[in-house]
Amino acid sequence: MDALNAMKTLPITDHHRNIIEPEWLARSAVVHRQLRPHLPADYVARMQEVIAGGAEMVVVADAEHVLGISVFRMLDRTFNGREMYCDDLVADDTKRSTGVGHMLVAYMEALARERACKVLTLDSGAQRQQAHKFYFREGFTITAFHFVKPLL
Protein backbone atom coordinates (compact mmCIF):
# COMPACT_ATOMS: atom_id res chain seq x y z
CA MET A 1 0.00 0.00 0.00
CA ASP A 2 1.43 3.41 -0.91
CA ALA A 3 1.82 6.20 1.66
CA LEU A 4 -1.17 8.23 0.44
CA ASN A 5 -3.50 5.24 0.80
CA ALA A 6 -2.22 4.63 4.33
CA MET A 7 -3.32 8.13 5.39
CA LYS A 8 -6.86 8.91 6.50
CA THR A 9 -8.71 12.11 7.28
CA LEU A 10 -10.12 11.95 10.80
CA PRO A 11 -12.47 14.62 12.18
CA ILE A 12 -11.66 15.43 15.81
CA THR A 13 -14.92 17.35 16.27
CA ASP A 14 -18.40 16.86 14.89
CA HIS A 15 -20.47 19.64 13.32
CA HIS A 16 -21.73 20.63 16.80
CA ARG A 17 -18.09 21.05 17.92
CA ASN A 18 -18.20 18.05 20.24
CA ILE A 19 -14.83 16.34 20.58
CA ILE A 20 -15.38 12.89 19.12
CA GLU A 21 -11.75 11.70 19.01
CA PRO A 22 -10.13 12.75 22.32
CA GLU A 23 -7.16 10.39 21.92
CA TRP A 24 -6.31 11.80 18.48
CA LEU A 25 -6.73 15.34 19.83
CA ALA A 26 -4.05 14.62 22.44
CA ARG A 27 -1.79 13.08 19.78
CA SER A 28 -2.07 16.28 17.72
CA ALA A 29 -0.01 18.39 20.10
CA VAL A 30 3.41 17.48 18.69
CA VAL A 31 2.49 18.42 15.12
CA HIS A 32 0.46 21.48 16.12
CA ARG A 33 3.42 22.84 18.10
CA GLN A 34 5.54 22.78 14.94
CA LEU A 35 3.43 25.74 13.82
CA ARG A 36 2.44 27.11 17.23
CA PRO A 37 5.30 26.41 19.69
CA HIS A 38 3.71 28.73 22.25
CA LEU A 39 0.77 26.37 22.86
CA PRO A 40 0.63 25.55 26.60
CA ALA A 41 1.72 22.32 28.25
CA ASP A 42 -1.96 21.41 28.74
CA TYR A 43 -2.63 21.27 25.02
CA VAL A 44 -5.93 19.42 25.32
CA ALA A 45 -7.40 21.98 27.75
CA ARG A 46 -6.36 24.84 25.45
CA MET A 47 -7.86 23.16 22.41
CA GLN A 48 -11.08 22.49 24.33
CA GLU A 49 -11.28 26.27 24.90
CA VAL A 50 -10.61 27.02 21.23
CA ILE A 51 -13.23 24.49 20.15
CA ALA A 52 -15.75 25.85 22.66
CA GLY A 53 -15.12 29.26 21.10
CA GLY A 54 -16.31 28.06 17.69
CA ALA A 55 -13.50 26.05 16.13
CA GLU A 56 -13.56 22.59 14.62
CA MET A 57 -10.60 20.31 14.00
CA VAL A 58 -9.52 17.55 11.64
CA VAL A 59 -6.31 15.54 11.37
CA VAL A 60 -4.65 13.42 8.74
CA ALA A 61 -3.21 10.31 10.36
CA ASP A 62 -1.73 6.94 9.61
CA ALA A 63 -2.47 3.99 11.88
CA GLU A 64 -0.56 5.49 14.83
CA HIS A 65 0.53 9.08 14.19
CA VAL A 66 -0.96 12.47 13.42
CA LEU A 67 0.63 13.65 10.18
CA GLY A 68 -1.17 17.00 9.89
CA ILE A 69 -3.88 19.10 11.48
CA SER A 70 -6.33 21.79 10.59
CA VAL A 71 -8.31 24.03 12.93
CA PHE A 72 -11.11 25.96 11.23
CA ARG A 73 -14.36 27.80 11.90
CA MET A 74 -17.45 29.11 10.15
CA LEU A 75 -17.86 32.87 9.88
CA ASP A 76 -20.48 35.19 8.38
CA ARG A 77 -18.85 38.37 7.15
CA THR A 78 -20.11 41.47 5.45
CA PHE A 79 -17.54 41.26 2.65
CA ASN A 80 -17.39 37.50 1.98
CA GLY A 81 -20.72 36.20 3.21
CA ARG A 82 -20.53 32.70 4.68
CA GLU A 83 -16.90 31.67 4.97
CA MET A 84 -14.80 28.85 6.32
CA TYR A 85 -11.73 30.35 7.97
CA CYS A 86 -8.72 28.13 8.68
CA ASP A 87 -6.92 29.15 11.89
CA ASP A 88 -4.14 26.57 11.55
CA LEU A 89 -3.01 24.22 8.82
CA VAL A 90 0.18 22.25 9.45
CA ALA A 91 1.75 19.08 8.14
CA ASP A 92 4.40 17.33 10.19
CA ASP A 93 7.84 18.57 9.12
CA THR A 94 8.80 15.03 8.09
CA LYS A 95 5.63 14.56 5.99
CA ARG A 96 5.66 17.71 3.86
CA SER A 97 5.08 17.15 0.13
CA THR A 98 3.44 13.76 0.75
CA GLY A 99 -0.19 14.85 0.25
CA VAL A 100 -1.03 15.62 3.89
CA GLY A 101 -1.68 19.33 3.33
CA HIS A 102 -3.67 18.61 0.18
CA MET A 103 -5.87 16.15 2.09
CA LEU A 104 -6.56 18.78 4.78
CA VAL A 105 -7.44 21.46 2.21
CA ALA A 106 -9.63 19.03 0.27
CA TYR A 107 -11.50 18.08 3.46
CA MET A 108 -12.12 21.72 4.38
CA GLU A 109 -13.11 22.63 0.84
CA ALA A 110 -15.66 19.80 0.63
CA LEU A 111 -17.08 20.68 4.05
CA ALA A 112 -17.22 24.39 3.16
CA ARG A 113 -19.15 23.60 -0.03
CA GLU A 114 -21.50 21.32 1.93
CA ARG A 115 -22.16 24.19 4.33
CA ALA A 116 -22.80 26.68 1.51
CA CYS A 117 -19.68 28.76 2.09
CA LYS A 118 -18.64 31.16 -0.63
CA VAL A 119 -14.93 31.02 0.26
CA LEU A 120 -12.27 29.14 2.21
CA THR A 121 -9.79 31.60 3.73
CA LEU A 122 -6.67 31.62 5.87
CA ASP A 123 -3.85 33.92 6.93
CA SER A 124 -0.20 32.97 6.57
CA GLY A 125 2.80 34.70 8.08
CA ALA A 126 4.73 36.82 5.58
CA GLN A 127 7.92 34.84 6.33
CA ARG A 128 6.39 31.45 5.40
CA GLN A 129 7.30 31.41 1.71
CA GLN A 130 7.21 27.60 1.38
CA ALA A 131 3.69 27.57 2.79
CA HIS A 132 2.70 30.30 0.32
CA LYS A 133 3.89 28.16 -2.61
CA PHE A 134 1.68 25.36 -1.32
CA TYR A 135 -1.35 27.67 -0.96
CA PHE A 136 -0.92 28.97 -4.51
CA ARG A 137 -0.74 25.37 -5.81
CA GLU A 138 -3.97 24.65 -3.92
CA GLY A 139 -5.74 27.55 -5.66
CA PHE A 140 -5.61 30.23 -2.95
CA THR A 141 -4.96 33.85 -3.95
CA ILE A 142 -3.85 36.91 -2.01
CA THR A 143 -6.78 39.32 -1.73
CA ALA A 144 -5.91 41.60 1.19
CA PHE A 145 -3.34 42.67 3.75
CA HIS A 146 -3.91 41.59 7.36
CA PHE A 147 -3.11 44.35 9.85
CA VAL A 148 -2.51 43.80 13.56
CA LYS A 149 -2.28 46.34 16.36
CA PRO A 150 -0.99 44.83 19.62
CA LEU A 151 -3.05 45.89 22.63
CA LEU A 152 -0.97 44.44 25.45
Side-chain angles (χ1 to χ4, degrees), residues 23 34 149:
E23 181 179 327
Q34 291 175 16
K149 182 177 183 177

Side-chain angles (χ1 to χ4, degrees), residues 80-150:
N80 271 345
R82 189 157 178 77
E83 159 185 344
M84 179 177 285
Y85 177 79
C86 177
D87 294 27
D88 294 333
L89 176 71
V90 59
D92 185 289
D93 289 339
T94 66
K95 298 298 179 183
R96 299 242 166 95
S97 298
T98 64
V100 171
H102 176 76
M103 288 177 69
L104 291 166
V105 170
Y107 176 89
M108 289 187 297
E109 188 174 337
L111 189 59
R113 290 181 191 283
E114 181 182 304
R115 295 181 183 181
C117 293
K118 293 184 177 185
V119 293
L120 169 59
T121 64
L122 55 80
D123 290 326
S124 181
Q127 77 285 2
R128 300 192 70 232
Q129 284 110 5
Q130 290 305 111
H132 302 163
K133 289 178 185 178
F134 167 75
Y135 297 135
F136 288 135
R137 281 194 310 271
E138 290 294 317
F140 288 86
T141 60
I142 298 172
T143 60
F145 290 105
H146 179 88
F147 293 92
V148 175
K149 182 177 183 177

